[in-house]
Amino acid sequence: MIAHVAAAGERRGRVVLWLGGSAEASRFAIEAAMLLGQAFQAEVESLYVEDKQLFDLADFPFARVIGSTGEGWRPLPQATLEREMRFAAAALHRQVAEAGVVASVPCHARVVRDEPLRAVSRACAENGPWNVVIVGEPLKPGDEARLAELFERVRDTTGAVIAGPLARRTRGSVVAVVEEFERLGPMLKSAQRLATVTGGDVKLTLVGNRRDELAWMEGEARLLCADGDDGELAGFDSVLAANDDPAPLAAVLQRHKPGFALAQYGGRLIAPGASLRPLTAALECPLLLVR
Amino acid sequence: MFFKRSKVDKSKAAETAAEPASSPSEIAEVAQAPAAPPHAPTEHVEPSLPRGAHMTSSGATDPASLGFKTTADLEPAHGPVGQDKAMEALAFGAGIRGPGYHMLVIGREGTGRRTAARAKLQEVAEKAERPADWIYVSSFDPTGGFRALKLPAGTAKPFAEKVALAIDQLADALPAAFAADDYDLKRRTIEEEFRFSREDALEALRREAEGQNIALIRTPAGIAVAPVLEGKVVKTDVFNSVPEALRREVETKIAALEAEIEAILAERPDAEKERRARLVALNEQVAGRHVRAALDDIKAEFAEVAGVESYLKAAARDLVRNASLFVSVAGTQTSNVARGAGSHPRFARYAVHVMATTSAAAGAPIVQEPNPTYANLFGRVELGAGAEAPSHVVRIKPGALHRANGGYLLVDGNALLESPETVEALRRALDAEEIRFDPPVSPIGAVGDEVPDLEPIPLNVRLVAFGSAETQRRLAASNGSLRRIFKVEAVFEHAVERTKETVETFARIIAGVIDKQGLRPMDAAGVALLIDEAAHRAGAKGKLSLLISDLIDVCREADHWANSEKRDVVSAADVERALHQSKARGGRPGLAEAS
C-alpha cells in the first residue's frame, strides 16, 4: 500500500481513479486523487471503464433504460450507449485533467471496455504493487459487497479511497484510525505525508480491546513520532472498542472533521460484508482504506 | 424722499412746510417719480408731507419728540403695526379646534404678514401636543404595497434605525449560521436520507431481481434491467437458445421489474416535495432563531404600539422565508460583507421609511413649503431596478403634508395655483383628511403602472396660504371648492393711520429689526428719517407704510456705513446714505420678507 511506500521510503506510486460505474463522479474523490498524487509524487491515471455487460444488454431488443429522474423508459441501442459512454468519459477526463493542472499532478486518461473490476485490476497489475484505487462514484450504504469485491479482486493495490455521499472536505487534519499495532508505523507515516498537502495536522486514533493495550500503543506511537521528522502529531484518541460496533469510530471522524482519513479495511470501521450505513452517515472526507 | 430732503436747509424746509399739503394724487405721482441723482440741485420741489404725530412744523418727524436717544433705549417689537384685525383673525384660525379652518392671509409683500402669521402660529403650536410620527413599512404581501404605521412622537427614527441595525446583524449572522457545520450536516442528512430512501428501495428490488436471474445495472444514462446468469449479463445468442416460453417468462419478469423501478422513481415528486418541506423547516428553524433574536428587542420596546407587532411578525416571516438572500449576498461580497449589507437593494423591502417625526422640544410643526408642487406636498417614491433585484422602492420621501401633519402648512397661494392638479389633490386630501399618494406623473424609475400602493395616512393639518387680493380672486376662479375651505381670512393692510401710538410702535419695530439682525443701535434722528420714509411710501396723508422688509435692508446698509466710520451708533447720515445708495442702484431696497 501507499503506506508501505511511505514506510519504505519509496518516493513514487500510482493513483488509479476508477470512473464509469455511473455518470456520477464525486469531486471529492477527484480531489483525493490529486492530494495523494501530491503527497506521494504519484501520477494519476483516470480510468473510465465502459461496462462490457451493458453492451451485451444493448444487444437485446427489449433493452431499455430509465433516467434517475424517472422520466420514462427509452430503448438502449448500441449506438446510443456508445455515444453516451464516450461523452461521459470525455467530460470526466476533462474534469480530472483540470484538477491535475491546478494541483500540478501529472494525469493520464484511459478508456477501456471490460468488466469493471477486471479492468481496474489489470490497470493496477500493469504498474506494479504501489497503486491506490480511488473509487470515483460516491459510496452508497448498500455498496459493501462491491467494496469487498474490489479488495478481493484488485490485488495490485495497497488500498482504496472512497468518498461518501456526505463528503464536503479535503482540507484540514488527517485522522488515522489504527486498530493493529503493526500498522501503526506505516499508517502514521502515510498520515504525516498526507497532512503536508491537506494543510492540517495528524490526529491518531488508536483502537483496542483493553486499556493496557491502548496505553502501550500510545506509548509506542509517541516514540515513533519522536524518532521521525515527518511532521507533528497533534493529538491522540484512544477508543476502547469491546465489540465490532463501528459507531464510536464513526463518531471520531465526525468529531475531528478531518480533511482526509485513513483506516484499515476489514477492521471495526469497515468490516467485510457489514453495512456501510454508519460510515456513510458520518464520513465527510475521503477515506483511504488500507489492506 | 429722504435723500433729497436731507439736502434741503432748515429754513427752506420750514417754508415748504408752510405751504398747503399736496393732493393725494400729487403724492402718488411723486412716490412713483424716478430718483434724482445724488448731486441734483436742492431747489427741486419737495413734496409736501402730511402732518401728524411726532411731526415738526416742516412735516418731518421730530427726533426729539420720539423720546429716546437710540434704539437701544427701546423695547424691541417684532409684531406688525396696526394690524389688529389681521392678528385677531390669525389668532382665531390658529387656535380654533376642528377641521376645515384653513387660513388665507392676504396682503402685499413686505407687510410682515408671514412673520406675523408664523409668530402667531408659533404661540399656539408651542402649546400644542406633539403629533404622532408616521412611517411606511412593507406590507410583505404580493401587492408590494406599504402599510402606514403610527408611532409615538419622536420614535420613528429610532425605530427605523433599530430595524436597519437588525437587518445588518442578520446580514452577519445568517450567512454564518448557514455556513455552520451543524446546519450543513443537517441539510445534507436530509438530502441523503431522501436519496437513500430511493436507493434502499432500488437495492431491495435489486436483491429480489437477483433471485430471478435478473440484474439492475447502472448505465451513464440511468438504470437498465438485464437477464443474468451467474452474475453476468446473458448474451443474446444464449438467451435465444432457450425455449420461447422461458424467454417470455424472463421478458415478463423484466417488464414487471421495469414497472416497479418506474414506480420507485415516480415517487420522486412526492418525496421531493417532502424533502423540500423538510429543508424549508430546517431553514426556518435556523433562520428563525436569528431573526427572532434580532427583532425581539424591537418588539419588546414597541409592544404597546398598535400595528408594530403584526409588522414585525410579517417581517420575521419574510426574513425567514428569504434567508437565502442574505447568504447569497454574503457570497457575492468581500470580507466586509456585513457592514451596511442591510442597505443592499435586495433588502430594500425591510427599509422603514420615516414620513413624519418631530424633535423632542417641538410642539405642533409649522412647515413652510415655498414650492408647493405635488411631489413637494405629497412626497415622492423612488423606484430602483437592476440585476440585483427586481423593481423595488428605494425611498419614500415625505412631503410637506407629512411633515406638517398635526400642525400648520404654510404655502404661497400664487405658487400653489400654478398647478391645478396639485390644487385639486390638496383639496381632496384636506376634504378627506388623509394623505393619499396618487401622483399625476409616475414616480422616478416607475415603468408602466408600477406605482406602489401606499396606505393613506390620516391628515390633520391647518393650511395657511399667503397671497394678495389678486390671489384671492384667482383662487375663487380656478378652484371654488378650495376657496371655500379657507374659512379664516387675515387681511394685512399695507399702510396704517399715523398716530402717536403707531409711530412709537414703528420705532420699536426698527429696534426689533436692529436687535434681530444684530446691528448697531440707531439714533433717534435716523429712526425719524425711516419714519418719514414710511410716511412717504404710504402715499396718502396721515398714513404710515408697513412694508417692513424695506426696513431691514436700509438698517443693514446704514449699519455698514456706521461701521466703516467706526461709530457705535447708526446716525441719520448713515440712514440717508443707505437710502441714497439703494436708490442709486435702481430703486427701493429689495422687498425681502421680514421673516
Side-chain angles (χ1 to χ4, degrees):
Chain A
M1 62 176 147
I2 267 192
H4 294 154
V5 175
E10 295 273 351
R11 300 305 298 169
R12 303 191 72 82
R14 193 168 64 133
V15 177
V16 177
L17 177 57
W18 171 24
L19 304 169
S22 70
E24 207 178 353
S26 166
R27 77 176 172 85
F28 297 98
I30 295 172
E31 282 178 29
M34 299 307 152
L35 288 171
L36 280 171
Q38 286 176 320
F40 296 96
Q41 292 82 48
E43 58 187 32
V44 172
E45 177 164 351
S46 172
L47 179 70
Y48 188 91
V49 184
E50 294 180 347
D51 190 346
K52 193 169 169 294
Q53 293 197 94
L54 285 175
F55 291 90
D56 291 339
L57 170 64
D59 280 341
F60 285 100
F62 54 77
R64 301 195 297 172
V65 67
I66 188 168
S68 55
T69 50
E71 60 271 20
W73 292 91
R74 63 178 173 81
L76 184 66
Q78 292 272 357
T80 305
L81 184 63
E82 285 205 24
R83 196 177 62 247
E84 285 175 355
M85 291 277 195
R86 195 168 64 243
F87 290 150
L92 288 169
H93 282 155
R94 188 175 302 113
Q95 192 180 347
V96 174
E98 285 169 1
V101 169
V102 173
S104 303
V105 171
C107 296
H108 306 284
R110 193 144 59 116
V111 179
V112 294
R113 184 174 301 179
D114 202 341
E115 188 272 312
L117 284 176
R118 187 169 58 200
V120 175
S121 182
R122 283 181 177 169
C124 290
E126 282 171 17
N127 288 287
W130 311 123
N131 296 291
V132 169
V133 174
I134 312 266
V135 183
E137 197 180 349
L139 195 72
K140 296 183 185 65
D143 278 348
E144 60 270 9
R146 195 164 159 233
L147 197 57
E149 205 178 352
L150 170 68
F151 274 92
E152 187 186 319
R153 290 182 55 193
V154 183
R155 303 307 304 179
D156 296 309
T157 173
T158 59
V161 175
I162 53 172
L166 301 185
R168 59 191 298 245
R169 272 189 308 272
T170 55
R171 300 287 155 186
S173 62
V174 176
V175 168
V177 180
V178 181
E179 301 184 48
E180 294 171 5
F181 175 71
E182 58 269 27
R183 294 174 183 272
L184 177 61
M187 287 183 78
L188 181 60
K189 285 192 179 296
S190 296
Q192 285 170 328
R193 272 212 192 179
L194 276 170
T196 61
V197 292
T198 60
D201 45 28
V202 175
K203 290 183 167 64
L204 201 56
T205 300
L206 303 173
V207 189
N209 293 321
R210 301 189 319 272
R211 286 192 191 284
D212 58 340
E213 179 192 358
L214 279 173
W216 176 72
M217 277 173 76
E218 187 174 328
E220 291 296 315
R222 288 188 189 281
L223 282 173
L224 273 175
C225 293
D227 289 345
D229 56 355
D230 285 333
E232 283 189 18
L233 193 58
F236 282 95
D237 252 326
S238 293
V239 179
L240 191 64
N243 53 35
D244 291 338
D245 184 7
L249 302 181
V252 168
L253 294 182
Q254 268 188 324
R255 189 170 68 248
H256 288 310
K257 302 185 188 311
F260 218 109
L262 284 81
Q264 176 192 344
Y265 180 73
R268 288 180 181 83
L269 190 59
I270 302 191
S275 169
L276 297 178
R277 179 142 290 173
L279 178 67
T280 53
L283 189 62
E284 296 180 0
C285 66
L287 172 64
L288 170 57
L289 292 169
V290 298
R291 282 187 186 280
Chain B
M1 293 177 194
F2 285 155
F3 179 71
K4 287 181 198 164
R5 248 196 338 267
S6 68
K7 298 293 179 189
V8 178
D9 67 36
K10 296 291 177 188
S11 61
K12 203 160 190 176
E15 283 171 29
T16 315
E19 287 172 17
S22 309
S23 69
S25 61
E26 278 179 282
I27 293 168
E29 263 184 55
V30 171
Q32 290 165 14
H39 54 274
T42 53
E43 59 269 24
H44 179 80
V45 179
E46 276 295 313
S48 300
L49 293 169
R51 299 191 62 159
H54 298 285
M55 283 172 71
T56 62
S57 57
S58 66
T61 302
D62 178 12
S65 72
L66 291 174
F68 61 90
K69 282 188 178 174
T70 72
T71 52
D73 304 332
L74 295 175
E75 176 75 19
H78 299 286
V81 188
Q83 303 283 16
D84 296 344
K85 280 186 184 170
M87 293 309 289
E88 199 177 311
L90 282 173
F92 171 76
I96 189 167
R97 290 186 181 276
Y101 287 90
H102 303 291
M103 289 180 267
L104 189 57
V105 181
I106 298 161
R108 283 193 197 172
E109 288 290 344
T111 52
R113 66 209 157 124
R114 286 179 208 271
T115 309
R118 204 175 174 113
K120 184 54 71 182
L121 296 175
Q122 194 69 45
E123 283 172 24
V124 180
E126 275 170 5
K127 292 170 195 155
E129 199 181 328
R130 281 171 78 190
D133 288 1
W134 285 92
I135 55 172
Y136 270 127
V137 290
S138 173
S139 59
F140 298 112
D141 62 20
T143 65
F146 285 79
R147 288 171 62 190
L149 283 185
K150 184 181 179 182
L151 299 182
T155 60
K157 276 185 184 166
F159 181 80
E161 283 164 7
K162 282 172 200 287
V163 171
L165 186 66
I167 299 300
D168 272 354
Q169 282 171 355
L170 288 172
D172 250 343
L174 288 179
F178 284 103
D181 289 348
D182 181 45
Y183 166 78
D184 195 52
L185 188 63
K186 283 178 180 161
R187 183 184 66 78
R188 293 168 74 89
T189 304
I190 291 171
E191 298 275 14
E192 291 312 320
E193 198 175 309
F194 160 72
R195 191 191 292 179
F196 287 167
S197 67
R198 196 181 57 169
E199 293 294 337
D200 286 350
L202 287 173
E203 180 62 19
L205 197 61
R206 187 184 64 77
R207 288 191 176 151
E208 183 190 325
E210 234 172 37
Q212 302 171 47
N213 282 334
I214 295 171
L216 270 57
I217 304 176
R218 290 189 184 277
T219 80
I223 301 167
V225 183
V228 290
L229 193 61
E230 294 172 352
K232 307 281 180 206
V233 173
V234 177
K235 299 228 179 246
T236 46
D237 52 345
V238 175
F239 187 74
N240 289 334
S241 68
V242 301
E244 191 183 345
L246 191 56
R247 290 204 309 267
R248 281 192 185 155
E249 192 186 333
V250 171
E251 284 180 36
T252 306
K253 284 178 184 171
I254 287 175
L257 281 167
E258 285 180 345
E260 285 191 60
I261 292 169
E262 194 171 351
I264 291 168
L265 297 178
E267 281 173 12
R268 190 181 173 91
D270 284 342
E272 176 66 20
K273 212 183 286 175
E274 190 196 332
R275 181 188 68 90
R276 257 191 257 125
R278 287 183 60 191
L279 284 175
V280 166
L282 173 65
N283 291 348
E284 290 185 355
Q285 185 190 355
V286 172
R289 198 167 58 236
H290 291 277
V291 168
R292 277 193 299 279
L295 298 182
D296 269 359
D297 286 349
I298 307 175
K299 199 185 276 183
E301 192 176 336
F302 291 85
E304 304 298 319
V305 183
V308 168
E309 190 181 350
S310 67
Y311 159 67
L312 289 175
K313 267 187 187 166
R317 267 198 306 274
D318 193 83
L319 281 163
V320 168
R321 207 179 300 137
N322 294 291
S324 56
L325 288 181
F326 291 83
V327 179
S328 55
V329 167
T332 58
Q333 296 184 356
T334 50
S335 55
N336 276 338
V337 163
R339 292 301 130 243
S343 60
H344 194 279
R346 286 192 180 184
F347 309 134
R349 73 175 94 176
Y350 305 114
V352 173
H353 305 272
V354 177
M355 302 307 290
T357 188
T358 51
S359 60
I366 300 174
V367 174
Q368 187 165 339
E369 179 47 64
N371 182 22
T373 60
Y374 186 92
N376 288 347
L377 289 178
F378 288 82
R380 204 165 56 220
V381 172
E382 293 173 14
L383 299 178
E388 294 285 357
S391 174
H392 60 279
V393 171
V394 174
R395 189 160 67 133
I396 304 176
K397 200 178 172 213
L401 281 172
H402 297 99
R403 296 195 307 275
N405 203 0
Y408 305 91
L409 174 61
L410 281 52
V411 295
D412 182 82
N414 287 322
L416 183 64
L417 287 168
E418 293 300 312
S419 166
E421 294 94 348
T422 305
V423 171
E424 185 51 26
L426 180 60
R427 185 198 60 76
R428 280 199 305 268
L430 294 170
D431 273 351
E433 296 178 5
E434 65 178 25
I435 310 169
R436 182 178 289 275
F437 186 71
D438 187 13
V441 291
S442 294
I444 296 167
V447 179
D449 295 328
E450 283 177 340
V451 182
D453 187 15
L454 306 186
E455 187 183 357
I457 290 177
L459 177 65
N460 170 26
V461 76
R462 190 67 47 86
L463 180 66
V464 182
F466 295 92
S468 60
E470 175 58 20
T471 314
Q472 202 175 9
R473 278 192 294 278
R474 281 180 65 200
L475 196 57
S478 68
N479 197 314
S481 307
L482 184 66
R483 173 69 190 85
R484 279 191 290 279
I485 69 167
F486 290 108
K487 291 183 183 168
V488 179
E489 281 186 10
V491 181
F492 278 71
E493 302 295 342
H494 77 284
V496 290
E497 290 296 326
R498 177 171 179 150
T499 64
K500 187 173 181 296
E501 190 187 1
T502 56
V503 167
E504 284 168 8
T505 308
F506 194 86
R508 285 179 54 221
I509 283 176
I510 293 169
V513 167
I514 286 168
D515 180 55
K516 192 174 176 184
Q517 303 291 323
L519 308 177
R520 288 168 179 73
M522 187 180 287
D523 65 17
V527 173
L529 280 182
L530 288 175
I531 293 169
D532 285 347
E533 174 70 5
H536 178 70
R537 284 188 187 175
K541 260 187 187 177
K543 296 270 187 182
L544 275 182
S545 167
L546 298 175
L547 299 178
I548 295 168
S549 62
D550 292 0
L551 279 177
I552 297 173
D553 287 341
V554 175
C555 290
R556 250 195 228 123
E557 289 172 27
D559 178 83
H560 169 77
W561 296 121
N563 180 51
S564 65
E565 293 178 14
K566 299 189 174 12
R567 277 184 278 105
D568 293 335
V569 174
V570 177
S571 68
D574 298 323
V575 173
E576 204 175 280
R577 196 169 173 188
L579 286 165
H580 165 68
Q581 291 286 338
S582 158
K583 284 162 189 166
R585 283 199 300 268
R588 289 175 173 179
L591 298 180
E593 280 294 316
S595 55

